[in-house]
Amino acid sequence: MGEKWSTARRMMLAGGATALAMWLLLYAPSPYVVYEPGIAVPVESMVVLESTNSDEGASGEGDFVLTAVRLTAPNIWGVIKAGVDRNMDVRWKRQVFGGKTKNEYVDRLNDIMSGSQNTALQAAYNYSKIKYRVENGSVIPEQTADAITIKANEIGGPSAGLVFALQAIELLEQEDLSRGLKIAATGTIDAAGNVGAIGGVKQKTVSVTGYGADLFIVPKGNEKEARRTAKRLNGDTVIVGVSSLAEAVQAISAFAVERTG
């Protein structure tokens, strides 16, 4: 009787341990977040020259493509799977959120995006030699015909600055800068047109390659990692690193000439 009870007890303990392990794997919150490949979408409808009275807004036949990383908070099993996926990166929550709650972190990204839109407009106006002023947080050109509105919807963070500036230049210059090509771009930008490094370039390279982008313009500081990822993916997307908005425009023009003549 005692032996049977001991065996039954061991089985119960083993079953309980298994159930606990399964709960920890599948349901317990983890202290990690995962960077995954996210969206790659044209910005044509996001950047609008108000004088055109159009939701499309772009003068070119091609697309300028924005890409953003997807941030998830999976269970432990999801973290384990992400750890062996070469297209994903696992980070500590506290490292990413900086002690803030998720909602506070998202609000911060939205604030940064708003600032990024303003600097993108300033960079585009400076490139096109258009006079403007900054008033109450808005960038206002001297001529109302040059007024541009940027609506990024739910996308946050600073890394769309470069692609917004490129789309704005195509509108302001009334020139088909994209030349019928799919031009993806990522990078922070300041009013002087300097392009800065961003996070998640590996995931963004995966996204734009899957989208079928012809060219991916990245900050110079991210170029090596983007090239390594593109080579591993064996896609057709060409990677070019730049340090300024002017370099990005030059790179696109040179690439378009090479591709389309």
Side-chain angles (χ1 to χ4, degrees):
M1 180 72 177
E3 184 177 346
K4 288 182 179 180
W5 170 246
S6 180
T7 300
R9 185 178 181 185
R10 285 197 298 270
M11 291 177 63
M12 289 174 61
L13 290 174
T18 300
L20 177 60
M22 292 298 294
W23 183 85
L24 289 172
L25 280 172
L26 301 177
Y27 302 108
S30 81
Y32 302 98
V33 291
V34 174
Y35 286 101
E36 303 179 10
I39 61 169
V41 294
V43 297
E44 184 176 8
S45 63
M46 301 180 194
V47 184
V48 178
L49 186 65
E50 294 181 11
S51 60
T52 63
N53 295 317
S54 169
D55 288 335
E56 295 300 320
S59 58
E61 295 182 1
D63 287 324
F64 283 107
V65 179
L66 176 152
T67 178
V69 171
R70 183 177 178 226
L71 186 65
T72 64
N75 55 29
I76 295 297
W77 179 241
V79 170
I80 293 170
K81 290 193 294 183
V84 297
D85 189 324
R86 298 176 69 182
N87 294 332
M88 299 184 186
D89 287 316
V90 179
R91 297 284 185 270
W92 288 99
K93 278 183 182 177
R94 64 172 179 268
Q95 177 187 10
V96 175
F97 292 164
K100 299 181 182 298
T101 66
K102 182 180 179 180
N103 288 339
E104 289 172 339
Y105 176 74
V106 170
D107 288 343
R108 174 60 178 157
L109 288 183
N110 289 336
D111 288 342
I112 293 172
M113 169 57 86
S114 179
S116 176
Q117 292 171 8
N118 284 343
T119 53
L121 285 178
Q122 291 177 69
Y125 287 140
N126 287 331
Y127 179 89
S128 298
K129 296 180 173 55
I130 291 172
K131 294 182 179 180
Y132 66 90
R133 69 183 188 276
V134 180
E135 187 176 294
N136 297 324
S138 297
V139 181
I140 305 171
E142 192 172 76
Q143 302 294 325
T144 56
D146 295 321
I148 287 178
T149 300
I150 300 177
K151 296 179 181 179
N153 302 321
E154 300 300 318
I155 301 168
S159 64
L162 175 58
V163 75
F164 285 151
L166 289 169
Q167 181 71 83
I169 287 171
E170 185 169 73
L171 292 171
L172 295 168
E173 301 282 327
Q174 296 185 6
E175 176 187 356
D176 188 2
L177 179 61
S178 54
R179 297 279 290 275
L181 300 169
K182 298 175 182 176
I183 311 294
T186 188
T188 65
I189 198 165
D190 64 18
N194 297 306
V195 173
I198 49 86
V201 75
K202 175 169 65 177
Q203 289 77 26
K204 292 175 181 181
T205 304
V206 173
S207 296
V208 300
T209 300
Y211 178 84
D214 299 295
L215 177 66
F216 188 24
I217 303 289
V218 301
K220 203 70 177 176
N222 297 115
E223 183 177 8
K224 288 183 179 179
E225 185 177 7
R227 285 183 180 274
R228 282 197 302 268
T229 304
K231 183 178 180 180
R232 173 170 60 81
L233 295 170
N234 198 31
D236 296 324
T237 302
V238 174
I239 308 295
V240 174
V242 302
S243 300
S244 69
L245 179 57
E247 285 183 17
V249 174
Q250 291 167 6
I252 292 167
S253 297
F255 181 80
V257 168
E258 181 182 330
R259 280 293 178 94
T260 64

